[in-house]
Amino acid sequence: MLSERSEFTVSELIENGVIEKPLDGNHGGTHPKSKDYVPEGIPFVMASDMIGGRVDTTNCKFITKEQADSLRKGFAKTGDVLLSHKATIGRTAVVKETVDDYVMLTPQVTYYRVKDRDRLNNKYLRYYFDSAPFQELFNQWAGGGSTRAYLGITGQLKLPIVLPPLPEQKAIAHILGTLDDKIELNRRMNATLEGMAQALFKSWFVDFDPVIDNALAAGNPIPDELAPRAEVRKNALANSGEPGRTNGTTQQGSLDHPTLSDPNSLFPAAFQFTEELGWIPKGWEVRPLDKIAHYQNGLALQKFRPKDGETPMPVVKIAQLKTGESSWDETASPSIKPECILNDGDVVFSWSGSLMVTLWCGGQAALNQHLFKVTSQDYPKWFFLEWTKKHLEDFQRIAADKAVTMGHIKRIHLSEAMCLVPSATLIQEGSRIIPPIIDRLISNELESRTLTKLRDTLLPKLISGELRLPEAEQLTEEALNV
């Protein structure tokens, strides 16, 4: 029988009928290969798809149902707790309801299936796997820090799991889940906000919607290459009942900063041809990306370690840029040049390996090489941020074509990436609309960072019984009501 608060091995929980024997994905010849991936089908879940306690089935790989049904194991169902155990180790997630009855796992992920829900809460189990003591032990046994880090099913059977009474398990899962729910809400909200900013930028600087609207209203010619978009705009304007008005622009002014009553007045009503970009709005300029912003490369920080008496500064490399958290495993001197120090809200662009553009919100940190800190003395943040994002796909393609381990771009590619610069008045109007969106993005991300720290602080104390549930509930309520 299980006691009130006891420690059991995974093997003992299996023997007691609390969980089924954990299983991972198919090994060897039956393991699906990259050639087997299809656009839609059964999610094929890797460690990289386990983000924030959830399975990202939007961006994961897929295999056909026929192939999935032919496999021997690795069928994870709704409610299963996932734990990555190879290479990228210690990530966790709970499988939510999916279109199909299951998701498929790679050999690097194990599923834990609760058999007796009267003795073990699956969400508690996931949080237990996230706790620092468990993660430290798991990393130690798996040889964490090595590319060969691995702890197979046999090794996992010996892992200890602390089980408080079921009501306490549920209460712990509820408290921590409340924090995670708010973090997830912020994530979804930020995805929406980012979409708003990108949609407005695309309408103005890629599709030229307001210029097409003005040209149609004035009876000016539309270049052949823009004719399909002009047809789209004709239909949109006809449906709106407001000729000459750009719906998308008006709608983007909903974040406490309404746009002008007639935003189209800031756009020209004709096009001009350029050698660099073809047809562009009349009067606009074409400039390379490195002329609208400064791309400051980071430092080889092993040469800039903290000196005696200095307060060390955490380091940001590509890995930290992915997680949004700087690393204290490596520190740098705070006396490095200010251009290579990151602060919340700075734009960072990784130009090697995994190319990405993001707003840094992980606190003050030192910028390592292979990362650009992007700034400008001439243009607002939203302008160079969106133009850098606009060219990111091309940069990723350039990097992928390089026959090296870590694909990258060179500064010449920044010079070859062309951007459009409109009138100063139009940039000012953009600065009324988009910065509030960016500010909200940053605010949400910083709030999520605070909630994550609180969750990670409460987690081990709740599991060990060091912190009482009422105290944890109060701390959670205070954090969410700030």
Side-chain angles (χ1 to χ4, degrees):
M1 296 293 292
L2 301 181
S3 64
E4 284 297 289
R5 177 183 286 271
S6 302
E7 181 179 295
F8 300 88
T9 64
V10 171
S11 181
E12 288 171 336
L13 291 179
I14 297 171
E15 293 171 2
N16 276 278
V18 179
I19 61 174
E20 297 182 11
K21 182 180 179 180
L23 290 174
D24 56 6
N26 292 264
H27 297 253
T30 59
H31 175 252
K33 312 295 190 299
S34 57
K35 64 181 177 60
D36 299 318
Y37 300 156
V38 294
E40 296 180 352
I42 302 296
F44 187 51
V45 178
M46 308 177 187
S48 58
D49 302 316
M50 298 159 60
I51 303 171
R54 61 184 180 85
V55 177
D56 180 9
T57 57
T58 302
N59 298 310
C60 71
K61 306 298 183 184
F62 298 89
I63 60 176
T64 65
K65 191 173 190 305
E66 291 73 20
Q67 182 179 21
D69 289 341
S70 72
L71 298 175
R72 182 172 58 88
K73 61 175 185 171
F75 301 86
K77 299 181 179 180
T78 301
D80 286 352
V81 180
L82 306 185
L83 176 66
S84 64
H85 65 263
K86 183 178 182 181
T88 302
I89 60 175
R91 290 197 182 187
T92 68
V94 176
V95 180
K96 299 295 180 66
E97 290 187 8
T98 60
V99 175
D100 298 284
D101 294 333
Y102 59 87
V103 300
M104 291 304 302
L105 304 182
T106 62
Q108 66 180 152
V109 180
T110 304
Y111 74 74
Y112 283 75
R113 183 169 298 156
V114 176
K115 192 174 181 180
D116 187 346
R117 294 182 179 273
D118 289 332
R119 290 188 284 180
L120 177 59
N121 179 272
N122 65 328
K123 294 180 180 179
Y124 166 82
L125 181 61
R126 177 239 149 173
Y127 284 119
Y128 178 78
F129 284 159
D130 280 339
S131 66
F134 179 87
Q135 286 284 323
E136 290 170 5
L137 181 65
F138 192 80
N139 270 267
Q140 179 183 343
W141 287 12
S146 167
T147 55
R148 295 178 174 272
Y150 173 72
L151 189 64
I153 300 298
T154 301
Q156 292 180 51
L157 295 178
K158 301 175 184 178
L159 288 168
I161 296 180
V162 175
L163 292 188
L166 185 66
E168 192 172 332
Q169 292 179 37
K170 291 182 176 180
I172 291 172
H174 173 73
I175 291 171
L176 300 177
T178 300
L179 296 172
D180 270 341
D181 287 346
K182 176 57 177 173
I183 294 169
E184 173 62 13
L185 178 62
N186 284 347
R187 186 194 67 79
R188 292 200 304 267
M189 185 183 300
N190 277 4
T192 300
L193 292 170
E194 188 171 0
M196 289 171 58
Q198 290 180 348
L200 178 60
F201 182 85
K202 183 175 183 294
S203 176
W204 284 10
F205 296 100
V206 179
D207 295 331
F208 308 139
D209 288 339
V211 185
I212 290 175
D213 293 349
N214 287 347
L216 291 172
N220 292 335
I222 302 293
D224 289 343
E225 64 186 63
L226 297 176
R229 186 63 186 176
E231 287 300 316
V232 173
R233 295 308 304 162
K234 283 181 183 178
N235 293 332
L237 294 174
N239 293 333
S240 72
E242 296 183 76
R245 182 68 57 83
T246 304
N247 296 337
T249 305
T250 304
Q251 292 170 359
Q252 296 300 332
S254 61
L255 203 66
D256 303 324
H257 285 263
T259 58
L260 297 174
S261 58
D262 185 12
N264 282 20
S265 63
L266 301 178
F267 292 83
F271 293 89
Q272 65 187 40
F273 186 80
T274 63
E275 293 296 332
E276 301 94 339
L277 292 176
W279 291 98
I280 67 170
K282 188 174 182 179
W284 289 15
E285 297 181 43
V286 178
R287 294 183 187 175
L289 193 59
D290 59 357
K291 294 301 181 183
I292 68 168
H294 174 63
Y295 291 78
Q296 173 64 54
N297 194 24
L299 301 171
L301 291 171
Q302 66 270 22
K303 301 177 181 178
F304 299 90
R305 298 304 185 207
K307 301 175 183 177
D308 291 341
E310 287 187 329
T311 301
M313 181 178 294
V315 169
V316 174
K317 297 183 178 181
I318 295 174
Q320 286 72 48
L321 196 62
K322 291 180 179 179
T323 63
E325 297 179 1
S326 53
S327 173
W328 284 97
D329 294 336
E330 183 176 350
T331 58
S333 168
S335 61
I336 61 174
K337 57 183 181 180
E339 294 88 343
C340 293
I341 296 177
L342 289 179
N343 291 288
D344 290 334
D346 283 342
V347 177
V348 187
F349 171 29
S350 65
W351 54 267
S352 176
S354 299
L355 274 67
M356 59 186 294
V357 181
T358 188
L359 289 163
W360 176 252
C361 295
Q364 192 173 76
L367 185 72
N368 197 66
Q369 57 187 348
H370 301 290
L371 299 177
F372 286 134
K373 176 181 175 181
V374 191
T375 58
S376 178
Q377 294 182 345
D378 301 315
Y379 299 99
K381 180 188 296 185
W382 69 267
F383 192 72
F384 62 78
L385 169 64
E386 294 300 334
W387 272 119
T388 305
K389 287 182 178 180
K390 169 66 173 60
H391 289 291
L392 181 61
E393 187 173 333
D394 290 334
F395 292 152
Q396 290 171 334
R397 187 161 42 247
I398 292 170
D401 289 341
K402 292 185 177 295
V404 293
T405 303
M406 288 184 63
H408 62 277
I409 64 167
K410 299 179 180 180
R411 284 194 176 273
I412 189 173
H413 297 120
L414 299 176
S415 300
E416 294 173 345
M418 295 300 161
C419 310
L420 289 176
V421 179
S423 67
T425 305
L426 181 53
I427 291 180
Q428 289 175 1
E429 175 64 6
S431 294
R432 281 172 21 92
I433 304 170
I434 302 181
I437 299 176
I438 293 177
D439 290 344
R440 186 76 62 84
L441 278 165
I442 295 172
S443 175
N444 287 343
E445 187 61 30
L446 292 177
E447 180 185 47
S448 292
R449 298 287 175 201
T450 299
L451 297 177
T452 298
K453 289 180 180 178
L454 175 60
R455 181 200 64 199
D456 294 345
T457 299
L458 295 178
L459 178 54
K461 294 182 178 180
L462 285 170
I463 289 176
S464 66
E466 176 185 346
L467 184 66
R468 294 188 303 172
L469 291 171
E471 295 171 330
E473 289 173 345
Q474 182 178 351
L475 291 171
T476 301
E477 290 176 4
E478 290 174 353
L480 294 174
N481 292 328
V482 170

